[in-house]
Amino acid sequence: MKILVCISNVPDTTAKITFTDNDTRLNKNGIQYIIGPYDDYALARGVELKEQSGGTLTVLHVGEADADPQIRKALAIGADDAIRVNADPLDSYFVAVQIANVAKQNNYDLILMGRESIDYNSGVVHGLVGEMLGIGSYSPVMKLDIEGGSATISREIDGGKEILKAPLPLVLGCQEPIAEWKIPNMRGIMTARTKPLNVVEPVSVDEMTVPEKYFLPAPKGACKMIPAGEAETLIRLLRTEAKVL
């Protein structure tokens, strides 16, 4: 089985975010980057499936050279080789086109990625890729088993969970608890240095969206402590200040 795992390169969740170019671009200075947490789940399950089936696992990232350390980490965790599409990931459509282009050239049986990245949180790339390839796409996938030429999937839906069976090839957006995150060991780190990381140029795509301005969330307000015996005061403040009643 040929598996493709798509990973994003996102700011660490503890990073202090600022913007530049009149608040139209992320200021990357001093930002530490990580593999997207949901993509980490997809990678972990992909490695498990590769080990079970004896197949191959390729990691794909759409981005620039500053993402190479995260790609090498994915190789250390268990991917066999990697592809980096050398382009600034402009938006979800652009990224999906690049993924679909690579997938068409390599005929993967299974394409895994996180349900969404944690920077823009669009959550649409897997669906776009599935449509572009003409194959099934499901998200968010919480459990995945492969038997023969089909996949058994458990995913969240409104009001509960759904278990379904679908034929390969598939595109799946993953989330916990599909697998546990894997930490690369020393042997993996050493072998990752010699694994292939192929850099390819992007296919041309018309720019579909242009950000006008980014905003930081409003700062948190002061916290008022109300004595336990003053329920009337609490209700009054909820009505007059918080305005939630």
Side-chain angles (χ1 to χ4, degrees), residues 66-84:
D66 58 357
D68 285 356
Q70 278 61 255
I71 298 173
R72 288 292 177 191
K73 179 182 177 182
L75 291 170
I77 287 172
D80 298 300
D81 64 322
I83 300 170
R84 178 170 63 81

Side-chain angles (χ1 to χ4, degrees), residues 47-98:
V47 170
E48 292 173 351
L49 292 172
K50 184 199 79 165
E51 292 172 347
Q52 293 169 11
S53 70
T56 61
L57 191 157
T58 298
V59 166
L60 171 62
H61 173 68
V62 180
E64 297 173 318
D66 58 357
D68 285 356
Q70 278 61 255
I71 298 173
R72 288 292 177 191
K73 179 182 177 182
L75 291 170
I77 287 172
D80 298 300
D81 64 322
I83 300 170
R84 178 170 63 81
V85 180
N86 188 34
D88 183 12
L90 301 173
D91 58 23
S92 298
Y93 182 77
F94 178 87
V95 171
V97 169
Q98 308 308 321

Side-chain angles (χ1 to χ4, degrees), residues 15 18 38-39 107 148 170 175 201 213-214 239:
T18 60
Y38 293 116
D39 301 322
N107 297 317
L170 287 171
Q175 71 167 47
E201 294 305 310
K213 194 176 185 66
Y214 292 116
R239 284 176 175 168

Side-chain angles (χ1 to χ4, degrees), residues 2-16:
K2 292 180 65 176
I3 303 171
L4 179 68
V5 177
C6 306
I7 63 172
S8 56
N9 183 45
V10 300
D12 190 292
T13 52
T14 61
K16 184 177 180 180

